[in-house]
Amino acid sequence: MKTCTIGNLERGTFDSQIMANLLITTVELADIKKEEKLIAIRNEDGEIYRIIGTTGDNQYTNAIEELIDLGLEDELDGKQPENGFQAIFRAV
C-alpha cells in the first residue's frame, strides 16, 4: 500500500491515525497513479489531500476496513468510481 499527500492542503485531524493503522509507504504522486485501485481522503474542508494506492483486492479491502474502523465514510459506497478513485473517504 502506498500513499502521498497533494500539495500543501491541510491534512485531516485523523491523518495520523490513518498513517498509524495502515501499513503504508509514502511515495511520489506519479507512483501512486500506477497502483490498481485508488482511495482518496478528504480533509474537514472537503478537499482531497491524500491518495492511497493499493494493489490487489486484499490490500484494497484491508484499507477500506481500516478507514471505516477509524470512523470515516466512503462517499462512493455502492457507486461507480469517480475521477479515477474507487473510494473517497471523509470524516462523518
Side-chain angles (χ1 to χ4, degrees):
M1 213 175 306
K2 299 174 182 173
T3 190
C4 71
T5 53
I6 299 172
N8 293 323
L9 296 174
E10 186 73 28
R11 294 179 184 197
T13 56
F14 44 81
D15 193 65
S16 61
Q17 292 174 300
I18 290 173
M19 295 304 290
N21 287 25
L22 297 174
L23 298 174
I24 206 159
T25 303
T26 302
V27 298
E28 297 295 320
L29 181 59
D31 293 328
I32 294 289
K33 292 183 176 185
K34 296 175 187 174
E35 295 297 309
E36 284 180 33
K37 294 185 178 183
L38 301 179
I39 301 168
I41 310 292
R42 291 190 191 277
N43 60 22
E44 284 83 351
D45 293 332
E47 302 167 311
I48 293 174
Y49 76 93
R50 178 175 295 287
I51 299 173
I52 299 171
T54 62
T55 301
D57 289 335
N58 286 341
Q59 229 182 49
Y60 177 75
T61 300
N62 290 342
I64 296 296
E65 289 172 356
E66 287 291 336
L67 293 168
I68 290 170
D69 287 348
L70 290 174
L72 302 178
E73 181 178 86
D74 182 6
E75 298 173 10
L76 299 181
D77 189 24
K79 298 178 184 172
Q80 292 294 316
E82 181 178 304
N83 297 324
F85 299 113
Q86 282 68 36
I88 302 175
F89 279 86
R90 61 180 170 82
V92 179

